[in-house]
Structure formats: C-alpha cells, structure tokens
Short mmCIF file of all heavy atoms in Angstrom, two decimals:
data_model
loop_
_atom_site.label_atom_id
_atom_site.label_comp_id
_atom_site.label_asym_id
_atom_site.label_seq_id
_atom_site.Cartn_x
_atom_site.Cartn_y
_atom_site.Cartn_z
N ILE A 19 105.39 60.71 132.97
CA ILE A 19 105.06 59.98 134.18
C ILE A 19 104.55 58.58 133.82
O ILE A 19 104.93 57.60 134.44
CB ILE A 19 104.02 60.74 135.02
CG1 ILE A 19 104.65 62.02 135.57
CG2 ILE A 19 103.49 59.88 136.15
CD1 ILE A 19 103.67 62.94 136.25
N ARG A 20 103.69 58.51 132.80
CA ARG A 20 103.14 57.22 132.38
C ARG A 20 104.26 56.28 131.93
O ARG A 20 104.29 55.11 132.28
CB ARG A 20 102.13 57.43 131.25
CG ARG A 20 101.40 56.14 130.91
CD ARG A 20 100.34 56.34 129.86
NE ARG A 20 99.41 57.38 130.25
CZ ARG A 20 98.75 58.15 129.41
NH1 ARG A 20 98.92 58.00 128.11
NH2 ARG A 20 97.92 59.08 129.83
N VAL A 21 105.23 56.77 131.16
CA VAL A 21 106.35 55.96 130.70
C VAL A 21 107.20 55.52 131.88
O VAL A 21 107.62 54.37 131.97
CB VAL A 21 107.20 56.73 129.65
CG1 VAL A 21 108.48 55.99 129.34
CG2 VAL A 21 106.38 56.98 128.40
N THR A 22 107.47 56.42 132.82
CA THR A 22 108.26 56.08 134.00
C THR A 22 107.57 55.01 134.83
O THR A 22 108.20 54.06 135.27
CB THR A 22 108.51 57.34 134.86
OG1 THR A 22 109.18 58.31 134.05
CG2 THR A 22 109.36 57.02 136.07
N LEU A 23 106.25 55.14 135.04
CA LEU A 23 105.51 54.14 135.80
C LEU A 23 105.51 52.80 135.08
O LEU A 23 105.66 51.75 135.71
CB LEU A 23 104.08 54.60 136.06
CG LEU A 23 103.91 55.75 137.05
CD1 LEU A 23 102.47 56.19 137.12
CD2 LEU A 23 104.42 55.35 138.42
N ALA A 24 105.35 52.80 133.77
CA ALA A 24 105.37 51.56 133.01
C ALA A 24 106.75 50.90 133.11
O ALA A 24 106.85 49.68 133.27
CB ALA A 24 105.01 51.82 131.55
N ALA A 25 107.81 51.69 133.03
CA ALA A 25 109.16 51.14 133.13
C ALA A 25 109.41 50.57 134.52
O ALA A 25 110.00 49.50 134.67
CB ALA A 25 110.20 52.22 132.82
N ALA A 26 108.93 51.25 135.55
CA ALA A 26 109.09 50.76 136.92
C ALA A 26 108.34 49.45 137.11
O ALA A 26 108.86 48.50 137.72
CB ALA A 26 108.61 51.80 137.92
N GLY A 27 107.14 49.35 136.57
CA GLY A 27 106.36 48.12 136.66
C GLY A 27 107.04 46.97 135.94
O GLY A 27 107.10 45.84 136.43
N ALA A 28 107.59 47.24 134.76
CA ALA A 28 108.29 46.20 134.00
C ALA A 28 109.54 45.73 134.75
O ALA A 28 109.83 44.54 134.79
CB ALA A 28 108.67 46.73 132.62
N LEU A 29 110.26 46.67 135.37
CA LEU A 29 111.44 46.31 136.14
C LEU A 29 111.08 45.43 137.32
O LEU A 29 111.74 44.43 137.58
CB LEU A 29 112.16 47.58 136.61
CG LEU A 29 113.44 47.35 137.42
CD1 LEU A 29 114.45 46.56 136.58
CD2 LEU A 29 114.03 48.66 137.85
N LEU A 30 110.00 45.75 138.01
CA LEU A 30 109.56 44.92 139.13
C LEU A 30 109.17 43.52 138.66
O LEU A 30 109.50 42.52 139.29
CB LEU A 30 108.37 45.56 139.86
CG LEU A 30 108.71 46.75 140.75
CD1 LEU A 30 107.44 47.40 141.27
CD2 LEU A 30 109.61 46.32 141.90
N ALA A 31 108.48 43.43 137.55
CA ALA A 31 108.08 42.13 137.01
C ALA A 31 109.29 41.30 136.62
O ALA A 31 109.37 40.11 136.91
CB ALA A 31 107.15 42.31 135.81
N LEU A 32 110.27 41.93 135.96
CA LEU A 32 111.49 41.22 135.58
C LEU A 32 112.26 40.76 136.80
O LEU A 32 112.79 39.65 136.84
CB LEU A 32 112.38 42.11 134.71
CG LEU A 32 111.92 42.29 133.27
CD1 LEU A 32 112.79 43.32 132.58
CD2 LEU A 32 111.93 40.98 132.54
N THR A 33 112.33 41.60 137.81
CA THR A 33 113.04 41.24 139.03
C THR A 33 112.38 40.03 139.68
O THR A 33 113.05 39.09 140.09
CB THR A 33 113.06 42.43 140.02
OG1 THR A 33 113.69 43.52 139.38
CG2 THR A 33 113.80 42.06 141.29
N ALA A 34 111.06 40.00 139.76
CA ALA A 34 110.35 38.88 140.37
C ALA A 34 110.54 37.61 139.57
O ALA A 34 110.74 36.54 140.13
CB ALA A 34 108.86 39.20 140.49
N CYS A 35 110.51 37.70 138.25
CA CYS A 35 110.61 36.51 137.42
C CYS A 35 112.04 36.01 137.29
O CYS A 35 112.28 34.85 137.08
CB CYS A 35 110.05 36.76 136.02
SG CYS A 35 108.26 36.97 136.05
N SER A 36 113.02 36.90 137.40
CA SER A 36 114.40 36.47 137.21
C SER A 36 115.01 35.90 138.48
O SER A 36 116.13 35.44 138.47
CB SER A 36 115.25 37.65 136.73
OG SER A 36 115.37 38.62 137.75
N ALA A 37 114.25 35.87 139.57
CA ALA A 37 114.78 35.35 140.81
C ALA A 37 115.11 33.87 140.70
O ALA A 37 115.89 33.35 141.47
CB ALA A 37 113.79 35.59 141.96
N GLY A 38 114.50 33.16 139.72
CA GLY A 38 114.84 31.77 139.46
C GLY A 38 114.73 30.90 140.68
O GLY A 38 113.77 30.22 140.86
N GLY A 39 115.72 30.91 141.54
CA GLY A 39 115.73 30.03 142.69
C GLY A 39 115.05 30.60 143.89
O GLY A 39 115.06 30.00 144.95
N SER A 40 114.45 31.74 143.80
CA SER A 40 113.84 32.34 144.96
C SER A 40 112.64 31.56 145.41
O SER A 40 111.82 31.15 144.64
CB SER A 40 113.40 33.77 144.64
OG SER A 40 112.71 34.32 145.71
N GLY A 41 112.55 31.34 146.69
CA GLY A 41 111.45 30.58 147.24
C GLY A 41 110.36 31.47 147.76
O GLY A 41 109.50 31.01 148.50
N GLY A 42 110.36 32.73 147.43
CA GLY A 42 109.32 33.63 147.89
C GLY A 42 109.63 34.12 149.29
O GLY A 42 110.55 33.70 149.95
N ALA A 43 108.82 35.03 149.77
CA ALA A 43 108.92 35.60 151.11
C ALA A 43 110.34 36.08 151.40
O ALA A 43 110.81 36.01 152.52
CB ALA A 43 108.48 34.58 152.16
N GLY A 44 111.04 36.54 150.36
CA GLY A 44 112.37 37.11 150.55
C GLY A 44 113.46 36.07 150.75
O GLY A 44 114.60 36.41 150.92
N ALA A 45 113.11 34.80 150.75
CA ALA A 45 114.10 33.74 150.98
C ALA A 45 114.81 33.41 149.68
O ALA A 45 114.26 33.57 148.61
CB ALA A 45 113.40 32.50 151.52
N GLU A 46 116.01 32.94 149.79
CA GLU A 46 116.77 32.46 148.62
C GLU A 46 117.08 30.99 148.88
O GLU A 46 118.11 30.64 149.45
CB GLU A 46 118.06 33.27 148.46
CG GLU A 46 118.90 32.87 147.28
CD GLU A 46 118.22 33.04 145.94
OE1 GLU A 46 117.45 33.99 145.76
OE2 GLU A 46 118.47 32.21 145.06
N PRO A 47 116.16 30.08 148.50
CA PRO A 47 116.33 28.68 148.85
C PRO A 47 117.36 27.93 148.02
O PRO A 47 117.77 26.87 148.39
CB PRO A 47 114.94 28.09 148.62
CG PRO A 47 114.35 28.96 147.58
CD PRO A 47 114.91 30.32 147.84
N SER A 48 117.77 28.46 146.89
CA SER A 48 118.71 27.76 146.03
C SER A 48 120.10 28.33 146.19
O SER A 48 120.29 29.41 146.71
CB SER A 48 118.27 27.89 144.57
OG SER A 48 116.99 27.36 144.42
N ALA A 49 121.06 27.58 145.68
CA ALA A 49 122.45 27.97 145.85
C ALA A 49 122.89 28.96 144.79
O ALA A 49 122.87 28.66 143.61
CB ALA A 49 123.34 26.74 145.76
N PRO A 50 123.27 30.18 145.19
CA PRO A 50 123.86 31.10 144.23
C PRO A 50 125.28 30.64 143.91
O PRO A 50 125.84 29.81 144.61
CB PRO A 50 123.85 32.44 144.97
CG PRO A 50 123.76 32.09 146.41
CD PRO A 50 123.09 30.76 146.50
N ALA A 51 125.85 31.20 142.85
CA ALA A 51 127.19 30.81 142.42
C ALA A 51 128.17 30.88 143.57
O ALA A 51 128.20 31.85 144.33
CB ALA A 51 127.64 31.72 141.28
N GLY A 52 128.98 29.83 143.73
CA GLY A 52 130.00 29.80 144.76
C GLY A 52 129.48 29.46 146.14
O GLY A 52 130.24 29.43 147.09
N ALA A 53 128.21 29.16 146.28
CA ALA A 53 127.63 28.86 147.58
C ALA A 53 127.74 27.37 147.88
O ALA A 53 128.15 26.57 147.05
CB ALA A 53 126.17 29.30 147.61
N GLU A 54 127.33 27.03 149.08
CA GLU A 54 127.28 25.62 149.48
C GLU A 54 126.34 24.86 148.55
O GLU A 54 125.41 25.45 147.99
CB GLU A 54 126.76 25.53 150.92
CG GLU A 54 127.71 26.11 151.95
CD GLU A 54 129.01 25.33 152.04
OE1 GLU A 54 128.97 24.08 152.05
OE2 GLU A 54 130.05 25.98 152.11
N PRO A 55 126.54 23.55 148.43
CA PRO A 55 125.64 22.75 147.58
C PRO A 55 124.19 22.82 148.08
O PRO A 55 123.94 23.00 149.26
CB PRO A 55 126.19 21.34 147.72
CG PRO A 55 127.59 21.50 148.18
CD PRO A 55 127.62 22.77 148.98
N VAL A 56 123.27 22.65 147.16
CA VAL A 56 121.85 22.58 147.48
C VAL A 56 121.60 21.19 148.06
O VAL A 56 122.09 20.20 147.54
CB VAL A 56 121.00 22.76 146.19
CG1 VAL A 56 119.55 22.52 146.45
CG2 VAL A 56 121.23 24.14 145.61
#
C-alpha cells in the first residue's frame, strides 16, 4: 500500500509539472501541437 501510494503521488506530481503550458485551474492557455497559434 505504501509503495502504491508513493507511486500515485509521484504520478500526480509529474502530471502537474509536465503540463508545461497549463495555466492552472484546468485551463490550457498554450497551443498544443496542431492548434491555432498562440
């Protein structure tokens, strides 16, 4: 259980940090590949 919880926490942290262009609050303020220009 401890390993599973640690892995889940690491996955959440990576997801938050890898958002790159994310403007927070669930918004995606930057242009993903193939999208309209920023």
Side-chain angles (χ1 to χ4, degrees):
I19 292 172
R20 187 176 306 151
V21 171
T22 302
L23 290 175
L29 181 59
L30 285 173
L32 285 173
T33 302
C35 291
S36 68
S40 175
E46 181 61 35
S48 302
E54 293 295 316
V56 173

